[in-house]
Amino acid sequence: MIATLIENARIVDPEAGSVTEGHVLIEKGVITEITAESGEGLRARAAPENRIDANGKVLAPGIVDIGVKVCEPGERHKESYKTAGAAAAAGGVTTMVTRPDTDPAVDTPEALEFIRRRAREVAPVRVLPMAALTKGRAGEEMTEIGFLLDAGAVAFTDCDRPVRDTKVLGRAMTYAKALGALIIGHPQEPGLSAGAAATSGKFASLRGLPAVSPMAERMGLDRDIAMVEMTGARYHADQITAMRALPALERAKNNGFDVTAGTSIHHLTLNELDVSDYRTFFKVKPPLRAEEDRQAVIEAVRSGLIDVISSMHTPQDEESKRLPFEEAASGAVGLETLLPVLLRLYHSGDLDLPTLFRALSLNPSKRLGLESGRMAKGAPADLVLLDPDKPFILDRFKLLSKSKNTPFDNARLQGRVLATFVGGKAVYRA
Amino acid sequence: MRFDQRHLLGIEPLRPDEITTLLDLADRYATLNRSRQKRSGILSGLTQINMFFENSTRTQASFELAGKRLGADVMSMAMEASSLKKGETLIDTALTLNAMHPDLLVVRHPNSGAVDLLAQKVNCAVLNAGDGRHEHPTQALLDALTIRRAKGRLHRLTVAICGDIAHSRVARSNLLLLHKMENRVRLIGPPTLMPAGIGEFGVEVYHDMAEGLRDADVVMMLRLQKERMDGGFIPSEREYFHRYGLDAEKLAFAKSDAIVMHPGPMNRGVEIDGTIADDINRSVIQEQVEMGVAVRMAALDLLARNLRARPNEVMA
């Protein structure tokens, strides 16, 4: 029996909201002991070469990242399961929940099977695929939700293309509800947001960029919540980024609807002014918001109103970004930078470690019905060991993703992953 | 006298004293342009390429003439028809031209920020001849020169900019310039044609011509782009002319010696009444065109001087 002992760690328990010093024993891929007492009895259970001295560094449940784009099938030159998996492992992400907005879209059980096979063959971390809600993400006919669930789809989403036709959405939600499937929406009023590259306001006007009001997000969310009320579906909003959308989310939760929400690392740590002189690596969807929105979103993560933080990992090659801002592709890679960048909010005193890992690991696991995300006996040993204080300057060409489109190139960051464990096995060692 | 810019990408990066430097020089070129012998050899031996990714007659002609009067070798390219159709990217086009060692590159592009992007990739001086809805610096400079010559100063004036502000790079550049030179700027137009966040620009916003034009020294009309009609920004051309078109009745609210400006091309009967446009006592529209050549000569001249100050980098 292979056992691993991680000694002398600061252990983050997001359920208890605590950070305590102690030791964690892993047997058969599962956490079997968490204790503050270091006895020879405990040490004897792991062979000397399988004892890791954490030296007071932080041990936390591994990240479950909802909304990762891996560009297979279709655009493997941007990202493959191999490179995305390596980047995830290096970033402390133990489960990638992948998006279906590939080319073609993941909208059949056969496509889903392809992804699961590719992931099994080459990805060192767990991969849980999401499937499209409508065929071809065209918003016209629902996909084979039942077959896709059987094939292993953990959620259904058309990603950044909200289903315009409320009748189609209503039917899909009603059908999904009967099967207990989770629907992930992108709250955005598509008429208002068409063609937008920035958030409307003084900055976008000065730069002459086509812009969308943050109100479009609230309108999209209002609509989706009304549809949830109508159908009783389980719903998660992929990214809430605007202050004005938060009261609607709060009302929905207070009314007892089965609604949760996420936000992205970019909207927590950047604002619209970072676009500066048309820097296309800062073009994301929805566009970066005003500083007051960023502050409101941080507060919502702290209070628990926003449940989940995602990297929204979206690889783009250099050619897609070396274009005028309006024409450049949206999105940024984030698997590897999610944790170090998010630690900015820890160092600034905005969010403590249990709150961070509640949004990174515990809540996404709970939402998807997974055993992971917890620091508890019997939970899978999906863990990340990190040094939250180690400073470094990010060099985008050193990222393991095939695409290097990060807005954090040359950023001064503090915090590095030392090791990542999936099912007790070290998949990354710094 | 100082002008420290490597490129002329917009009004935003310019200091007030740099604007004054450029206008002073342009004044001298305006005199040269009125003389029989119009040629100067100051850009002799330099190559100027005009790349227009968007249709233009007057701006392109003005830049071409400006370069030729200063003795540069000028080549104009209509980019719409050429390599972009073959799928070449903007940056590749720029690098291709850059390899031919131009000294001055004049660029117009339909996307905001495209000229900034291009300027990062080439090692000659780049002049923005209009990018999307962002900036059109030489237009603002020629407007400033026209105002200064007509009014004797370029500060403490009340300037009303009227019409489609939201989609206008001319309005943005003018707004920035007039602010830097300490003038009072009013924007007049229907709310659908005002940019978002306009309240934070430090300007007065009016939706009524009679109120907005009251005691104005300068009335600057903007062209109503026909394509905006399709977007449903205004109900109809005739309602627009009725409410926002400049005619004698509305002009009477401005100061009695107020001048009327228009960047051209005009839509007579849409944003401006033909008789106002042709009134030589009020309209300075022809003078604007004349100053356009002078301002562009001054801009080319100043940027070329800065090129020579940095020979190694440029010739590398």
Side-chain angles (χ1 to χ4, degrees):
Chain A
M1 181 173 82
I2 295 175
T4 306
L5 179 66
I6 302 172
E7 299 179 287
N8 306 316
R10 284 165 63 207
I11 301 168
V12 179
D13 182 344
E15 276 177 306
S18 64
V19 183
T20 50
E21 301 200 357
H23 323 282
V24 172
L25 183 70
I26 301 164
E27 288 168 314
K28 286 186 181 167
V30 173
I31 300 173
T32 52
E33 196 71 64
I34 303 172
T35 174
E37 308 293 323
S38 172
E40 276 312 309
L42 181 70
R43 301 197 84 206
R45 286 164 75 177
E49 67 272 20
N50 292 331
R51 292 179 205 149
I52 297 164
D53 187 354
N55 255 323
K57 301 294 189 257
V58 170
L59 185 70
I63 297 167
V64 177
D65 193 359
I66 298 182
V68 174
K69 167 121 182 224
V70 180
C71 306
E72 287 185 60
E75 295 177 300
R76 205 188 286 181
H77 66 285
K78 291 186 178 179
E79 190 82 289
S80 70
Y81 275 92
K82 189 171 181 181
T83 53
V93 174
T94 48
T95 301
M96 296 193 287
V97 182
T98 56
R99 298 205 315 249
D101 56 343
T102 44
D103 184 19
V106 181
D107 58 358
T108 60
E110 291 76 16
L112 204 76
E113 181 47 43
F114 165 78
I115 283 167
R116 296 189 50 154
R117 181 167 55 76
R118 285 288 300 152
R120 243 188 344 260
E121 283 168 5
V122 295
V125 302
R126 298 182 204 270
V127 174
L128 297 175
M130 298 191 284
L133 181 63
T134 66
K135 288 173 187 156
R137 298 197 300 131
E140 286 162 10
E141 288 173 80
M142 72 174 94
T143 50
E144 295 169 316
I145 294 174
F147 278 153
L148 286 160
L149 273 176
D150 294 345
V154 294
F156 294 82
T157 178
D158 277 358
C159 301
D160 62 354
R161 266 190 228 161
V163 179
R164 272 176 186 258
D165 189 331
T166 43
K167 211 165 227 172
V168 173
L169 180 61
R171 283 176 189 148
M173 280 179 145
T174 304
Y175 194 88
K177 148 84 179 163
L179 297 173
L182 177 68
I183 287 179
I184 298 188
H186 179 72
Q188 201 64 222
E189 208 297 303
L192 273 183
S193 63
T199 300
S200 64
K202 185 184 181 186
F203 177 76
S205 290
L206 268 177
R207 287 286 174 276
L209 292 172
V212 59
S213 163
M215 201 59 97
E217 182 175 306
R218 186 197 130 179
M219 291 168 70
L221 184 64
D222 275 339
R223 182 197 74 156
D224 286 2
I225 289 170
M227 299 297 290
V228 168
E229 189 172 352
M230 190 173 95
T231 61
R234 302 174 59 217
Y235 177 86
H236 175 79
D238 65 347
Q239 300 177 72
I240 295 297
T241 64
M243 186 174 62
R244 287 174 187 277
L246 293 169
L249 179 62
E250 195 166 7
R251 273 197 307 278
K253 287 189 161 189
N254 289 341
N255 286 340
F257 299 138
D258 194 353
V259 169
T260 52
T263 193
S264 90
I265 181 67
H266 309 112
H267 296 90
L268 282 169
T269 56
L270 302 170
N271 70 25
E272 58 184 349
L273 300 182
D274 286 305
V275 169
S276 184
D277 288 324
Y278 306 101
R279 293 151 76 186
T280 56
F281 279 12
F282 290 78
K283 185 176 179 186
V284 292
K285 232 181 194 179
L288 291 175
R289 306 300 196 189
E291 176 62 12
E292 58 177 5
D293 288 306
R294 188 182 79 91
Q295 293 292 346
V297 171
I298 292 173
E299 178 52 40
V301 170
R302 184 165 38 216
S303 72
L305 178 59
I306 288 180
D307 308 89
V308 171
I309 300 172
S310 295
S311 72
M312 293 313 289
H313 182 80
T314 306
Q316 298 289 0
D317 54 19
E318 301 285 304
E319 298 313 317
S320 319
K321 287 286 188 181
R322 288 175 65 195
L323 291 170
F325 197 83
E326 273 170 66
E327 299 189 343
S330 295
V333 291
L335 283 166
E336 226 172 317
T337 48
L338 173 61
L339 191 52
V341 172
L342 197 56
L343 284 169
R344 279 182 172 177
L345 298 180
Y346 162 70
H347 291 296
S348 64
D350 285 307
L351 301 173
D352 59 21
L353 288 173
T355 307
L356 284 184
F357 284 95
R358 183 181 71 196
L360 287 172
S361 311
L362 177 65
N363 286 345
S365 296
K366 274 166 58 178
R367 194 55 173 144
L368 298 173
L370 309 176
E371 286 294 302
S372 60
R374 295 177 301 135
M375 187 62 81
K377 278 192 208 177
D382 292 2
L383 300 166
V384 54
L385 182 65
L386 68 141
D387 177 351
D389 299 312
K390 187 171 173 59
F392 71 105
I393 295 174
L394 186 87
D395 175 355
R396 72 185 182 107
F397 293 106
K398 294 208 172 124
L399 293 176
L400 299 176
S401 280
K402 248 185 216 181
S403 295
K404 314 293 182 191
N405 55 310
T406 173
F408 301 106
D409 190 29
N410 283 323
R412 282 163 170 72
L413 300 172
Q414 211 181 336
R416 292 219 93 155
V417 172
L418 301 173
T420 304
F421 302 88
V422 175
K425 187 177 155 221
V427 293
Y428 174 79
R429 297 294 282 270
Chain B
M1 182 191 116
R2 295 209 29 204
F3 190 83
D4 299 325
Q5 306 289 326
R6 176 169 178 190
H7 307 293
L8 182 62
L9 299 177
I11 297 297
E12 201 180 353
L14 298 183
R15 296 190 312 264
D17 67 299
E18 290 176 315
I19 293 171
T20 304
T21 297
L22 197 147
L23 296 183
D24 289 347
L25 183 60
D27 239 339
R28 304 222 306 269
Y29 280 123
T31 309
L32 176 76
N33 284 339
R34 283 184 183 182
S35 63
R36 174 69 60 89
Q37 172 52 260
K38 298 180 179 61
R39 244 185 116 94
S40 142
I42 206 151
L43 296 187
S44 161
L46 298 186
T47 306
Q48 172 190 338
I49 299 182
N50 301 334
M51 290 166 78
F52 279 67
F53 294 91
E54 193 181 76
N55 264 334
S56 161
T57 313
R58 55 182 60 218
T59 306
Q60 188 173 336
S62 185
F63 267 111
E64 195 166 330
L65 205 53
K68 284 181 171 160
R69 287 210 176 137
L70 294 177
D73 295 313
V74 183
M75 180 170 80
S76 287
M77 303 175 67
M79 300 304 299
E80 275 185 310
S82 73
S83 47
L84 286 196
K85 287 269 186 279
K86 296 176 196 158
E88 191 175 62
T89 67
L90 174 65
I91 290 178
D92 285 335
T93 308
L95 291 178
T96 303
L97 285 180
N98 193 50
M100 301 177 193
H101 296 292
D103 303 285
L104 298 148
L105 203 54
V106 178
V107 186
R108 167 172 287 193
H109 197 282
N111 289 137
S112 303
V115 184
D116 291 61
L117 175 67
L118 202 145
Q120 293 163 20
K121 307 290 174 187
V122 298
N123 47 16
C124 55
V126 176
L127 291 92
N128 182 358
D131 63 322
R133 310 173 189 176
H134 178 218
E135 283 230 45
H136 190 356
T138 55
Q139 179 70 42
L141 288 162
L142 74 89
D143 288 342
L145 183 59
T146 309
I147 293 171
R148 196 172 81 168
R149 288 166 68 104
K151 291 286 160 192
R153 66 176 198 272
L154 188 59
H155 57 272
R156 294 192 191 176
L157 293 167
T158 301
V159 182
I161 306 178
C162 317
D164 182 359
I165 316 287
H167 302 101
S168 173
R169 55 195 173 213
V170 176
R172 268 176 199 61
S173 288
N174 264 310
L175 191 83
L176 291 168
L177 188 149
L178 291 166
H179 256 184
K180 280 182 202 259
M181 306 313 279
E182 298 176 16
N183 295 281
R184 188 170 167 183
V185 179
R186 295 177 182 169
L187 302 180
I188 314 173
T192 45
L193 294 178
M194 288 288 169
I198 194 70
E200 298 169 51
F201 279 70
V203 294
E204 300 161 54
V205 178
Y206 294 89
H207 303 306
D208 180 271
M209 286 287 270
E211 280 177 46
L213 290 181
R214 199 172 304 276
D215 297 326
D217 297 292
V218 177
V219 182
M220 203 178 269
M221 301 306 297
L222 295 174
R223 176 179 143 75
L224 181 74
Q225 286 162 312
K226 298 269 186 188
E227 54 271 29
R228 302 298 164 218
M229 295 293 303
D230 308 330
F233 288 90
I234 53 167
S236 72
E237 275 187 20
R238 60 181 191 174
E239 179 162 330
Y240 185 81
F241 182 66
H242 176 71
R243 292 182 58 82
Y244 297 102
L246 189 67
D247 54 18
E249 200 184 320
K250 295 194 190 94
L251 184 57
F253 289 101
K255 279 190 184 158
S256 57
D257 63 346
I259 55 169
V260 174
M261 309 179 74
H262 193 297
M266 279 182 280
N267 299 309
R268 287 170 187 259
V270 178
E271 71 260 349
I272 191 163
D273 186 77
T275 50
I276 300 280
D278 299 333
D279 182 350
I280 52 165
N281 294 313
R282 307 303 293 272
S283 163
V284 293
I285 295 171
Q286 294 307 313
E287 168 118 345
Q288 283 176 276
V289 179
E290 184 187 348
M291 291 311 122
V293 180
V295 155
R296 285 165 185 132
M297 288 166 80
L300 291 167
D301 180 358
L302 289 170
L303 290 176
R305 291 183 207 189
N306 289 350
L307 277 181
R308 292 188 191 103
R310 216 190 290 97
N312 292 332
E313 194 183 331
V314 174
M315 299 308 173

